[in-house]
Amino acid sequence: METANLGFALSSPMLLLEAGTRIISWHIKFSSVPAGFTDLSEAELKSAFYISINGEKEWIDLSDYECRCSDYSGYLHFQIEIPSEVEPIRGYDKKVFTDPYDTEWPVLRMILKGNEYPHLYEILSQCKVSLNNLQVTVNGLKDLVVQNELSPLDPTKPFQPFGPQPEEGAAFMVGYPEAFQKPLKRLTFKLQWDKLPNPSLYSHYIQYPWQIYNSSFRTDIDLLQNGNFNHRLKTQAFLFEYGDANLPKTISIPTTSMPTDFKRTLDKKSFSQFDHSLNTGFVRMNLRNIANVRNSTTIIKLGLRSGGFGHQAYPRLYADALIQRANESSPDKVIPKEPYTPTLKSISMDYEAQLFFFGRNSKKEGVERFYHIHPFGVAEQYTDNQLTDKFPLIPNYPSNGYLYIGLEALKPSSILTLYFQIAEGTANPALDFEKEELSFAILVNNQWQALSTSQFLSDSSGGLQYTGIVKLNIPAEATTENTLLTSGLHWLQVSFPYKKGVPERAGWFPGILDLKTQALSATFEDRQNDPAHYDQALAAESISKLVVKDASVKKLLQPFSSIKGMPAESN
């Protein structure tokens, strides 16, 4: 028999993870945990789940993960790494995948290996979820959108971020739509400079009238928000390593610099360059030069302007040096070197984003969606009151056994009759069963609504112990658009309660040979008939029409032979 899936899943735009080395950390806080939770080991938790996330065409296995729990804090923590060579994680395509997740965002599934870890099901199905903390970390993003004030740039080959003759305030923009639509916790840029004339820029600029060091070249970094670069992430970040400008330079922007009034944007559209219609998606780096004056006389005489990398000053300094060399008083005047035009060999970005969430409410307001994975479908879990609405981590099936009946063309607020043909004699004699133990429920918006005593009209099957008819009054609330089971049908659930110490009890029920709807019983009426007719059952299909026609009855079938026929006892 195929193993039934039980577990939970998450859908979120936080899981849009296009490239790089991607790490998902999902911290699930519980309001209460049962006995035994504290005994769960990291070793068994690490191997107890099948974890996957949707790719473009199929589910991607992520079963190499870390997991730990804490009884003191009441949480379960998953950490999952997606290597850089794994395909991009994009939105969930309902045309490609058959699983009924009603979402456009990526889906992360956690399916419990129930057969291998039955005790985990007993424990985790009693853990009540109170808060989710989702964090994603992406390292080594290289496919960035880069642009200076002149044009878009190609990050796959060396480029000039501030232009060919950068001056003070020159702008360089870096974009990546996926990252800047998330609540960022950390942002890091890694710069590898190219064609540097000297590891020490002080030596290179020694003939300039300013004291220019590696640390003189800096940048102010601003975040694009609501169409404006109005949030300062970092002021005067160094562009070069202090001791050796050839070394990779890392610019880190901590959590404290991130906007506290972050407003989420949900847009899967990509862009290839910056334009002023964009509300988010970029940071801007403005060039700063912080250099002390070395020779104010030269600056005043030549009318030099500080800032940038010296491109404005160089022609005048060069011409002045030639004039001085021509003058017999300064024949050894050193010609200043051409200014360095900053050129990036490569740029990469890392980011970390974090989001706390409860899940959508029943009005379907919100973005993140928490699902229960059931044997035949999924069901979203809603949180209307964050203090009181707690759902179990894994769907709980408290009864010992379940029978599901899908009904086509059923009309709510109508009478349903079900004929069960039972393989009598196949029940285990040890069943010890009362028919009142069976419960009937109808599916309403992915929730099982128990039928009341007034809606359970009759049962001639003895609780499915022998052939008979069950008659029910179906409530008006019954729905067909559900994801818990196949959509388009009304679903009836028959459940059999658990009895402590007898887990296999549901398997002791007799087998069901057939099930028919719109059933009724016909009882033989003796009109001085030959008693010998009781010796043989009335064969199937013997009855084909009503004695008195009824226009509402289109067709009459007798699919089975008669049962329980016997002559009256004689005195």
Side-chain angles (χ1 to χ4, degrees):
M1 181 181 293
E2 184 178 349
T3 303
N5 287 340
L6 283 175
F8 55 100
L10 166 68
S11 164
S12 171
M14 288 279 287
L15 299 174
L16 290 169
L17 301 166
E18 184 75 14
T21 300
R22 295 147 284 179
I23 299 171
I24 302 170
S25 298
W26 186 5
H27 189 97
I28 307 169
K29 184 77 172 62
F30 302 123
S31 59
S32 61
V33 295
F37 183 81
T38 186
D39 298 325
L40 299 179
S41 68
E42 289 188 27
E44 63 180 335
L45 288 170
K46 179 176 171 56
S47 57
F49 291 90
Y50 295 110
I51 300 181
S52 59
I53 194 168
N54 68 276
E56 189 173 2
K57 298 294 183 183
E58 59 186 6
W59 291 99
I60 301 169
D61 177 53
L62 300 177
S63 292
D64 184 14
Y65 65 93
E66 300 293 331
C67 184
R68 65 179 186 273
C69 68
S70 169
D71 177 52
Y72 175 75
S73 302
Y75 71 79
L76 196 63
H77 181 87
F78 291 90
Q79 183 163 307
I80 308 155
E81 181 171 326
I82 305 175
S84 58
E85 60 268 20
V86 173
E87 66 175 280
I89 308 303
R90 295 171 180 161
Y92 184 80
D93 190 344
K94 288 183 276 188
K95 295 179 181 178
V96 173
F97 295 93
T98 58
D99 305 71
Y101 295 101
D102 183 21
T103 181
E104 60 180 313
W105 308 113
V107 175
L108 178 65
R109 302 188 307 181
M110 328 289 273
I111 298 175
L112 180 65
K113 300 176 183 177
N115 282 2
E116 299 178 42
Y117 300 93
H119 68 291
L120 272 180
Y121 165 74
E122 296 294 334
I123 294 172
L124 297 180
S125 62
Q126 298 180 65
C127 294
K128 301 292 186 179
V129 177
S130 62
L131 180 64
N132 292 274
N133 174 2
L134 183 62
Q135 185 169 305
V136 294
T137 303
V138 181
N139 296 320
L141 289 170
K142 296 181 179 180
D143 189 20
L144 306 172
V145 178
V146 290
Q147 183 172 340
N148 59 26
E149 294 172 312
L150 301 176
S151 66
L153 304 166
D154 183 358
T156 64
K157 56 186 179 182
F159 63 91
Q160 298 168 346
F162 299 107
Q165 294 188 351
E167 295 189 8
E168 183 80 4
F172 167 51
M173 285 161 285
V174 182
Y176 198 76
E178 168 198 306
F180 295 108
Q181 293 185 31
K182 299 176 182 179
L184 290 173
K185 184 179 179 182
R186 178 180 59 83
L187 191 62
T188 301
F189 296 97
K190 296 179 181 178
L191 312 177
Q192 179 61 67
W193 296 100
D194 193 30
K195 301 177 182 178
L196 280 156
N198 195 307
S200 169
L201 294 175
Y202 179 84
S203 299
H204 182 73
Y205 283 101
I206 193 68
Q207 298 304 320
Y208 285 64
W210 299 278
Q211 293 178 336
I212 299 176
Y213 299 89
N214 290 7
S215 58
S216 298
F217 300 100
R218 306 181 189 185
T219 181
D220 294 334
I221 305 176
D222 298 315
L223 177 67
L224 180 64
Q225 280 195 131
N226 302 317
N228 295 298
F229 289 100
N230 55 8
H231 181 86
R232 176 62 50 86
L233 293 174
K234 194 145 190 170
T235 299
Q236 296 189 21
F238 298 124
L239 285 171
F240 301 96
E241 279 296 325
Y242 182 79
D244 186 346
N246 285 305
L247 294 176
K249 177 59 184 174
T250 298
I251 300 175
S252 297
I253 301 170
T255 303
T256 52
S257 296
M258 298 302 169
T260 56
D261 58 344
F262 170 81
K263 293 183 180 179
R264 196 178 201 178
T265 56
L266 299 174
D267 189 353
K268 290 190 291 184
K269 294 179 181 178
S270 60
F271 47 72
S272 59
Q273 66 181 59
F274 172 78
D275 68 67
H276 292 283
S277 67
L278 294 172
N279 287 317
T280 186
F282 278 87
V283 295
R284 183 182 65 192
M285 300 184 183
N286 289 105
L287 180 62
R288 299 288 303 276
N289 185 318
I290 309 299
N292 293 323
V293 173
R294 187 202 309 271
N295 188 330
S296 59
T297 301
T298 300
I299 294 173
I300 295 171
K301 181 182 76 171
L302 300 179
L304 302 181
R305 187 172 68 247
S306 64
F309 279 78
H311 291 80
Q312 183 269 344
Y314 174 70
R316 300 183 187 185
L317 290 172
Y318 180 80
D320 183 61
L322 290 180
I323 292 172
Q324 289 189 50
R325 290 187 68 165
N327 189 328
E328 294 182 0
S329 63
S330 303
D332 298 325
K333 176 65 177 179
V334 178
I335 303 296
K337 295 178 181 179
E338 288 188 35
Y340 171 59
T341 300
T343 303
L344 278 173
K345 185 177 183 179
S346 66
I347 180 172
S348 66
M349 186 179 83
D350 306 337
Y351 77 86
E352 186 176 307
Q354 184 178 34
L355 180 71
F356 294 89
F357 68 94
F358 296 93
R360 298 201 302 172
N361 60 28
S362 57
K363 296 180 181 179
K364 298 187 177 181
E365 297 170 334
V367 180
E368 274 63 36
R369 306 180 189 189
F370 192 106
Y371 295 91
H372 276 166
I373 299 175
H374 292 263
F376 304 106
V378 303
E380 186 177 351
Q381 303 302 297
Y382 299 107
T383 301
D384 286 330
N385 187 315
Q386 296 172 0
L387 296 177
T388 61
D389 291 354
K390 315 295 182 186
F391 48 80
L393 178 66
I394 291 175
N396 195 351
Y397 282 78
S399 293
N400 191 225
Y402 296 85
L403 170 66
Y404 297 101
I405 303 170
L407 301 161
E408 188 177 24
L410 174 68
K411 294 181 179 180
S413 299
S414 65
I415 303 299
L416 172 67
T417 53
L418 297 170
Y419 175 86
F420 292 89
Q421 187 183 25
I422 303 298
E424 297 182 18
T426 58
N428 190 314
L431 181 57
D432 185 26
F433 168 76
E434 298 291 337
K435 71 176 184 178
E436 288 77 14
E437 292 184 69
L438 284 187
S439 298
F440 287 77
I442 195 76
L443 193 57
V444 179
N445 296 322
N446 276 335
Q447 299 289 328
W448 291 109
Q449 179 176 306
L451 297 184
S452 64
T453 304
S454 62
Q455 292 168 326
F456 187 83
L457 302 179
S458 63
D459 176 14
S460 64
S461 72
L464 307 189
Q465 296 304 295
Y466 41 81
T467 298
I469 295 175
V470 174
K471 189 176 183 181
L472 307 170
N473 187 356
I474 302 301
E477 299 83 13
T479 58
T480 58
E481 297 305 312
N482 301 288
T483 57
L484 188 61
L485 289 156
T486 303
S487 182
L489 302 174
H490 284 99
W491 284 95
L492 189 68
Q493 179 196 73
V494 187
S495 57
F496 182 52
Y498 174 78
K499 188 173 184 179
K500 188 174 182 180
V502 195
E504 70 279 12
R505 190 167 174 241
W508 294 352
F509 260 68
I512 297 175
L513 297 176
D514 206 345
L515 172 62
K516 302 289 184 183
T517 59
Q518 297 178 306
L520 54 84
S521 62
T523 305
F524 173 72
E525 183 178 306
D526 192 348
R527 297 184 179 182
Q528 303 299 316
N529 298 85
D530 184 353
H533 86 277
Y534 288 108
D535 296 338
Q536 188 173 355
L538 186 66
E541 300 183 3
S542 297
I543 301 174
S544 60
K545 60 182 179 179
L546 296 172
V547 174
V548 179
K549 292 184 177 182
D550 187 333
S552 64
V553 178
K554 296 181 179 180
K555 191 175 184 179
L556 186 67
L557 298 175
Q558 181 202 345
F560 311 108
S561 59
S562 63
I563 59 173
K564 303 179 182 178
M566 61 183 66
E569 295 182 2
S570 58
N571 293 331

